[in-house]
Amino acid sequence: MSTTESVDTARIALLLNELRLPTIKAVWPRFAEQADKEGWPAARFLATIAEHEIAERGRRRIERHLADARLPPGKTLDSFDFDAVPMISKAQVMAIVAGDSWLSKGANLLLFGPPGGGKSHLAAAIGLALVENGWRVLFTRTTDLVQKLQVARRELALEAAINRLDRFDLLILDDLAYVSKDQAETSVLFELINARYERRSILITANQPFGEWGKVFPDPAMTLAAVDRLVHHATILEMNVESYRRRTALERKRGPGRPPSRATPKTAE
Ligand code: ADP
Ligand code: MG
């Protein structure tokens, strides 16, 4: 005779609903049967179902964070060809995606390089790996976020909007260079950088390292202040490589049977 027979199992389901333990509710009958059959100590049964609940919660949390992160699909570290950017080591990126050394103190990551060099791909892949490692990330085109903050400011809710972004350990601002020069619009970006300084991290991708940033912020003093805050605690990765798209197109044109050359495709034209 099963030991659960004397217990009102329908009531257990109700109790577990009330306690919000959906995983235990789903798995306990299976483990109870096994425990009865194999004569588990009660503590082992309790530990087993509790661990299932915790593991499932962790999975769901990461799923939620993944949805919140709005990462572009398909841009992973696995699909990133590190040979194409010899100045960046995979080991360095793997240290970055552990997160602890920089996200906990609000340090920044700046990716520079010409268009097509893989900045957005690497930024998204780093974001994805960080989410999988338990961090909270938001990926956004810089112009989109600036526009939203601009709207918030018009509604006198800029501070609240910036505070809401605090829940993200890392804000990935893709394509800084394309922010409009409009004075009113760009100062929200400064407000954001200022608010996160030494507290919450920012990852910025940009085609130009600093030289052109005078075009991003409304005046030289603000540009200097923004750059100063961003680089104070920052890792800078320069990805000075030829466009990946262009190079892979050239390699396709060269056809099979030839070794895929990574070096200066110009000589192969
Ligand atoms: P950027 O943001 O620097 O302009 P992207 O990240 O958008 O460049 O890269 C352009 C395209 O080439 C994307 O489809 C990207 O996935 C791909 N790509 C760029 N670099 C690499 C790389 N090293 N490995 C794999 N794909 C890459
Ligand atoms: Mg890009």
Side-chain angles (χ1 to χ4, degrees):
M1 161 182 141
S2 158
T3 49
T4 54
E5 246 168 50
S6 52
V7 180
D8 181 356
T9 55
R11 183 161 159 71
I12 293 179
L14 293 177
L15 293 173
L16 292 171
N17 273 347
E18 188 75 21
L19 290 168
R20 291 175 215 289
L21 297 168
T23 305
I24 289 184
K25 182 185 162 194
V27 303
W28 81 264
R30 168 160 64 91
F31 286 110
E33 196 186 322
Q34 191 180 356
D36 288 346
K37 202 164 16 177
E38 298 174 8
W40 288 8
R44 178 174 171 194
F45 170 69
L46 183 58
T48 302
I49 59 174
E51 269 158 21
H52 271 77
E53 184 71 46
I54 293 280
E56 185 55 31
R57 271 184 203 185
R59 260 194 302 278
R60 272 202 302 266
R61 189 181 327 112
I62 286 177
E63 245 167 54
R64 250 191 342 267
H65 293 176
L66 215 50
D68 291 347
R70 313 221 195 108
L71 294 159
K75 306 299 179 190
T76 66
L77 287 178
D78 280 344
S79 64
F80 189 76
D81 175 8
F82 281 90
D83 292 344
V85 275
M87 60 287 280
I88 293 175
S89 79
K90 187 164 186 183
Q92 184 181 18
V93 172
M94 295 325 280
I96 286 170
V97 302
D100 315 80
S101 58
W102 61 296
L103 293 180
S104 49
K105 58 177 193 227
N108 301 316
L109 184 57
L110 308 175
L111 302 187
F112 297 132
K119 300 181 299 297
S120 298
H121 185 137
L122 186 60
I126 287 172
L128 175 63
L130 285 170
V131 170
E132 286 168 349
N133 288 335
W135 299 92
R136 299 206 60 187
V137 172
L138 177 67
F139 183 104
T140 173
R141 289 181 50 87
T142 310
T143 44
D144 293 347
L145 185 66
V146 163
Q147 245 165 44
K148 275 183 200 145
L149 293 179
Q150 179 70 358
V151 170
R153 186 168 64 179
R154 257 183 259 127
E155 294 165 354
L156 305 177
L158 179 60
E159 203 184 326
I162 286 176
N163 288 346
R164 269 200 304 281
L165 295 171
D166 266 3
R167 70 180 189 278
F168 297 109
D169 300 293
L170 178 67
L171 209 53
I172 299 177
L173 302 181
D174 196 29
D175 272 334
L176 183 69
Y178 299 140
V179 169
S180 138
K181 273 188 257 178
D182 178 287
Q183 175 138 349
E185 234 184 283
T186 47
S187 64
V188 298
L189 189 59
F190 180 75
E191 298 291 327
L192 176 70
I193 290 168
N194 202 23
R196 289 179 78 88
Y197 177 58
E198 292 192 324
R199 291 191 315 108
R200 290 279 184 275
S201 300
I202 298 178
L203 187 166
I204 287 181
T205 75
N207 292 337
Q208 298 286 342
F210 309 123
E212 302 270 303
W213 286 32
K215 295 177 187 164
V216 172
F217 296 95
D219 63 66
M222 200 182 275
T223 307
L224 203 64
V227 170
D228 201 53
R229 279 161 178 72
L230 282 174
V231 302
H232 186 193
H233 312 281
T235 300
I236 297 175
L237 302 182
E238 297 225 36
M239 305 171 68
N240 288 321
V241 290
E242 183 152 4
S243 163
Y244 193 82
R245 274 185 291 255
R246 204 179 102 81
R247 207 188 35 207
T248 46
L250 283 173
E251 277 169 13
R252 265 199 308 277
K253 209 167 78 183
R254 235 177 278 139
R258 301 253 192 105
S261 163
R262 299 261 176 239
T264 56
K266 277 197 184 79
T267 58
E269 278 174 348

